[in-house]
Amino acid sequence: MAEPSTSSSRSGASSRLSSTHVGRSEATTLDEPSERPVKFTPANSFDLEDHQLASQSSTRTVPWGSRFRAFVAKHQRLQRIWLYIRGPRPKSDLPDPTPWLNFHLYTGRKQYGVALEPALIRCTRPLTHPWLFVILAAGYIIGFAFFARAQSFLTPADSFIGCTATYWAALDGCGLDGVNCMPFSNSTFDFRCPAQCSSVVLQNPRTVGDEQVDFVPLIVGGGDADHTYRGDTFICAAAEQAGLISDRKGGCATLELVGNFTDYLPFTAHGLTSIGFPSVFPLSFRFLPTTSLHSCSDLRNEALAFNVLITALIFIVLRPKAIVAFWCLVCIGFWHVALFSQPMASPPPLDDAFQQFLPALFVAYAFWRLAFRFTMPAFRKAPIEAAVWYLGPFWVGVLTNITMDKIPIDRLTASDITQRPGGLTALIIIVLILLAIVINQVRVIRKTGWLPHYLGWYIAGGLVVVVLSQLPGLELRIHHYIIAMVLMPGTGFPTRLSAIYQGFLLGMFLNGVAAFGFDSVLQTPADLQRDAPLGSDLPAFVTNSTTYNASIPLQNQTIFWNSIPDGENWDGFALLVDDVERYVGSALNYSLAALQPGIIHFFRLAFTSGGTAGDFTKAATLYPNGSWVDPLPGPS
C-alpha cells in the first residue's frame, strides 16, 4: 500500500486529503487483497470487485461505476490506460516546493549555506504584525484615492473624450447632408485625451474615398499648412500627431470647427501617419495653440508603479496570511483597471465599477476555494519566490490591453482572425503554447490521483459549451475573463508553474470584468457586428466606364443605377457622394449639378428598407478629366 504523502499533514486549508483518507478505507476496496489467499496485483483489482458484486443479491441494482470497472477489467489495454489515468491510490498531495534561494556553496573542503529566504523572514518579522498591516492598508486606500482624484476628477467631466472620439459618424451615421452632425463650423471644444491612444485602431475596414484603411488610427488630413483634419478623424490621435499631447501621458487641447474643406493632405509625425482625401468634405477641424484646461496628465504609469510596489511589500515584507494577500491582489488589480489602466469610460463611472465589483468578488472567492488555497500557502517560507511567481504574471494579466496589444487578435471570430495580417499564425502559436501548458498540468494532476475528477468536470463543461454553441440566433463568445474562469481550477497544486498560471489568470480575469463587465458568453451577430459589413445585397450602377460621356460638362451629368430586383424587401436607395449621404429615396438616378468641378468625386450606393441602409458598395470614382472608374466588387 502506498504511503500517504508527507505534505498531507499540512493544515486542512492547503490539503485535498481528509483526516479519514488514510489506512484501509479506500485501499481495502481497490488496492489490498481480500481474506482469500490470492496475491493482489493492480491487474486483478477489477476481477476482485466483480467477484464481490456477483455474490450480492441478483435483485440489487449494480452501480454504473462498478459496471464501468468490470468492463475495463475485461480489456487489458483499457485497464492499463485507466490505471495510468487514475493515478495513485490513495490520492496524495504534492510536497511543498523547496525554496530555490536556500542553497549551499562549496569551496574546496568547506561548505557555506546561503539561506536568503529565512534571513528575510527573520529581518522583517517585526513588520508582520496584523495591526501594522491594518494601518498601512488604511494609508494605502487614502493614497490611492488621491491618485484617482488627480487622475480623473480635477478636469471637467464634459471635456473627457475617448481615443476613438470623432465629429463625424461612419457611412450614413450623420444623416442626409450630415444634419445629425451639425454644426460644421464656428465652434470650439476643449478636450482631454487619455494616454496610449496611438494603439487604438480600427477593427473593421473603413472607406475614405476609394481607399480602405484598417488596424490603424483613423487620421485623415493634417498635411496642409494649417493642419486641417477631416471630421471623422480620431481627435486624440490627430492631437498626438500634431504634437499637442503625448502618447505616454495623454493631455488636453482645444480645437475649432472650420467647416467645408477640399483636398486633405497626408502627413506623418510623432509616429503616426494620416491618409489623404482629394475631394471636399463639409466638416473639418484645426487645433488651437493653447487650451484653458489644466491637470491633464494621465497618471496611469505612476499608479502602476505605486500599486506594483504595494503588492511587492505585501508579499515580501508584510506577509499576511495567504487569504489576506489573495484578497489584496483582487482588490488592487480590479480598481487599478477600473480607475487607471482601462476604465469603462472617462471619467471612470464609479457606479458601473461597483456593479461589476461585487460579482467579481464572488468569482474570486471561487478561485480561492478551487485553486489558490492549495498553492499560495505552499510558498509561506519563500516570500521572495512567491512575489516573483505571482506578481510578475499577475500584472501582465492586469495590463492585458497593453501586454497583449501587439498580438494581432482582437476577437476569437473567424472573420477577425482571417482579415488581420498574422492573426492565424498568432492563433496557432497561442494554441500550441496552451496545449503544452495543459499537457504539463495534466501530468501534475495525475501524480495526485485527481485526474479522473478533473476530466469529468471538464468533459461535462465541454458538452455544455457544445450545446450552447448550437442555440439558434446566438453565437458563442469566449471572453478572456471566461478563459480565466475555465482554466483556473486546473492550477490548484503546489508547484511554481501553478503559481505563475494563477497570477496571470487572476490578472486577466480582473482586466476583463473591470474593463468590460461580465459580457454574455452568448451574443447575437449584431453584438459582434460593430461597424463591419452586414452581408446584405448590393445594388449596381448602370453608369460605368463605357456609358459615362466625358464630353458633357459635370453640371449636366446624371448617374444611374439598376432598380430593386423582384422579390426583394428593399424599398429605396441611399447614395454617398464623397463619403456624405446626399440622396435617400426610390429614384434610379442622381444629378451631379451641385458637385464642385475640377476635383475627384466618389460614389457609393446601398439599398434601404424603412430608412435603414444595408451595405454600401465600394466607391465608383469620377476624375476631373471625365474618367469613370467602376467600383470594385464587395461592400465598403
Side-chain angles (χ1 to χ4, degrees), residues 222-378:
D224 61 290
D226 296 319
H227 298 295
T228 307
Y229 292 92
R230 208 174 84 159
D232 55 352
T233 292
F234 289 175
I235 296 173
C236 290
E240 184 176 334
Q241 186 191 49
L244 298 176
I245 66 174
S246 71
D247 188 58
R248 190 178 71 87
K249 303 284 288 185
C252 297
T254 300
L255 61 78
E256 63 173 348
L257 300 181
V258 295
N260 200 64
F261 190 79
T262 302
D263 195 13
Y264 300 84
L265 301 178
F267 180 51
T268 299
H270 299 97
L272 293 171
T273 298
S274 65
I275 62 173
F277 181 66
S279 192
V280 62
F281 202 78
L283 193 156
S284 309
F285 63 84
R286 297 169 181 152
F287 295 110
L288 299 181
T290 60
T291 181
S292 61
L293 297 177
H294 58 86
S295 301
C296 297
S297 294
D298 193 318
L299 302 177
R300 66 181 62 190
N301 291 330
E302 290 79 358
L304 175 62
F306 177 65
N307 283 328
V308 170
L309 176 62
I310 292 298
T311 53
L313 289 176
I314 291 173
F315 271 71
I316 298 175
V317 179
L318 302 179
R319 299 197 309 280
K321 292 183 178 180
I323 190 170
V324 176
F326 168 76
W327 285 115
C328 288
L329 286 184
V330 171
C331 295
I332 291 173
F334 181 93
W335 289 107
H336 180 82
V337 175
L339 296 177
F340 290 96
S341 67
Q342 202 175 3
M344 293 184 180
S346 297
L350 296 180
D351 54 342
D352 292 339
F354 276 102
Q355 180 183 1
Q356 306 302 326
F357 184 53
L358 293 181
L361 293 180
F362 176 81
V363 177
Y365 177 71
F367 286 169
W368 169 259
R369 295 292 301 174
L370 293 172
F372 277 83
R373 70 187 178 109
F374 302 117
T375 309
M376 188 174 282

Side-chain angles (χ1 to χ4, degrees), residues 4-163:
S5 170
T6 57
S7 62
S8 63
S9 61
R10 299 198 311 257
S11 62
S14 61
S15 173
R16 285 183 172 80
L17 300 182
S18 66
S19 59
T20 61
H21 204 162
V22 294
R24 308 180 63 87
S25 59
E26 182 177 348
T28 300
T29 304
L30 296 179
D31 296 322
E32 289 189 354
S34 66
E35 295 180 357
R36 297 172 58 190
V38 179
K39 184 178 179 180
F40 173 78
T41 63
N44 65 17
S45 61
F46 296 107
D47 295 333
L48 179 61
E49 292 183 3
D50 290 341
H51 176 76
Q52 293 172 343
L53 288 173
S55 64
Q56 297 175 357
S57 173
S58 60
T59 59
R60 184 176 177 180
T61 303
V62 179
W64 282 105
S66 298
R67 294 182 182 181
F68 169 75
R69 288 191 291 270
F71 173 78
V72 172
K74 297 177 181 179
H75 301 79
Q76 294 298 321
R77 183 171 297 179
L78 288 178
Q79 182 175 331
R80 288 194 297 270
I81 294 174
W82 167 248
L83 291 175
Y84 178 81
I85 293 175
R86 189 189 64 175
R89 286 297 183 270
K91 300 182 180 74
S92 62
D93 283 339
L94 297 176
D96 287 348
T98 302
W100 277 353
L101 297 180
N102 299 345
F103 53 91
H104 297 277
L105 296 178
Y106 297 92
T107 57
R109 297 180 179 180
K110 294 184 178 181
Q111 174 182 335
Y112 298 93
V114 179
L116 298 182
E117 301 280 16
L120 174 68
I121 292 174
R122 287 194 303 270
C123 293
T124 58
R125 185 172 288 115
L127 301 177
T128 61
H129 196 281
W131 282 109
L132 178 61
F133 179 84
V134 171
I135 294 172
L136 293 178
Y140 165 77
I141 293 173
I142 295 173
F144 190 73
F146 274 100
F147 253 121
R149 177 177 178 270
Q151 167 76 356
S152 303
F153 301 102
L154 296 179
T155 308
D158 57 359
S159 66
F160 284 86
I161 62 174
C163 293

Side-chain angles (χ1 to χ4, degrees), residues 282-604:
L283 193 156
S284 309
F285 63 84
R286 297 169 181 152
F287 295 110
L288 299 181
T290 60
T291 181
S292 61
L293 297 177
H294 58 86
S295 301
C296 297
S297 294
D298 193 318
L299 302 177
R300 66 181 62 190
N301 291 330
E302 290 79 358
L304 175 62
F306 177 65
N307 283 328
V308 170
L309 176 62
I310 292 298
T311 53
L313 289 176
I314 291 173
F315 271 71
I316 298 175
V317 179
L318 302 179
R319 299 197 309 280
K321 292 183 178 180
I323 190 170
V324 176
F326 168 76
W327 285 115
C328 288
L329 286 184
V330 171
C331 295
I332 291 173
F334 181 93
W335 289 107
H336 180 82
V337 175
L339 296 177
F340 290 96
S341 67
Q342 202 175 3
M344 293 184 180
S346 297
L350 296 180
D351 54 342
D352 292 339
F354 276 102
Q355 180 183 1
Q356 306 302 326
F357 184 53
L358 293 181
L361 293 180
F362 176 81
V363 177
Y365 177 71
F367 286 169
W368 169 259
R369 295 292 301 174
L370 293 172
F372 277 83
R373 70 187 178 109
F374 302 117
T375 309
M376 188 174 282
F379 294 93
R380 62 191 179 278
K381 295 182 180 180
I384 299 176
E385 277 200 56
V388 172
W389 306 135
Y390 274 104
L391 296 186
F394 172 75
W395 285 109
V396 170
V398 167
L399 303 177
T400 299
N401 58 309
I402 301 173
T403 56
M404 306 297 171
D405 177 64
K406 300 303 181 182
I407 298 177
I409 298 177
D410 176 56
R411 299 175 298 177
L412 290 176
T413 60
S415 58
D416 278 20
I417 294 172
T418 55
Q419 289 178 5
R420 190 160 183 175
L424 183 58
T425 302
L427 179 63
I428 294 174
I429 294 174
I430 292 173
V431 169
L432 292 177
I433 293 174
L434 284 176
L435 183 62
I437 291 173
V438 168
I439 292 175
N440 178 72
Q441 205 65 12
V442 166
R443 180 186 62 84
V444 172
I445 297 173
R446 195 202 68 82
K447 289 182 178 181
T448 66
W450 283 92
L451 185 56
H453 174 81
Y454 280 87
L455 285 178
W457 280 107
Y458 275 108
I459 291 173
L463 294 176
V464 171
V465 170
V466 171
V467 172
L468 292 178
S469 65
Q470 302 305 311
L471 293 179
L474 296 172
E475 294 187 13
L476 186 67
R477 175 77 187 278
I478 306 298
H479 305 276
H480 57 293
Y481 85 87
I482 295 176
I483 296 175
M485 293 172 62
V486 170
L487 298 180
M488 185 67 78
T491 65
F493 299 89
T495 65
R496 292 178 173 86
L497 288 178
S498 293
I500 293 173
Y501 303 152
Q502 287 177 6
F504 176 75
L505 292 175
L506 178 62
M508 188 169 67
F509 167 78
L510 296 174
N511 174 271
V513 298
F516 307 106
F518 286 89
D519 279 353
S520 174
V521 68
L522 293 175
Q523 294 181 312
T524 65
D527 294 331
L528 302 174
Q529 188 70 35
R530 295 180 179 172
D531 58 351
L534 303 172
S536 63
D537 299 327
L538 294 174
F541 287 99
V542 172
T543 301
N544 56 44
S545 56
T546 58
T547 60
Y548 186 86
N549 189 350
S551 62
I552 301 176
L554 181 67
Q555 291 79 1
N556 298 328
Q557 290 280 9
T558 300
I559 60 174
F560 300 88
W561 50 84
N562 290 320
S563 60
I564 300 173
D566 294 337
E568 298 291 339
N569 295 324
W570 306 106
D571 55 20
F573 301 90
L575 179 68
L576 299 180
V577 180
D578 301 328
D579 298 342
V580 180
E581 188 175 53
R582 295 299 186 184
Y583 174 76
V584 177
S586 58
L588 301 178
N589 58 79
Y590 177 77
S591 173
L592 306 185
L595 299 188
Q596 178 179 336
I599 61 173
I600 301 175
H601 294 287
F602 307 96
F603 306 92
R604 290 187 281 160

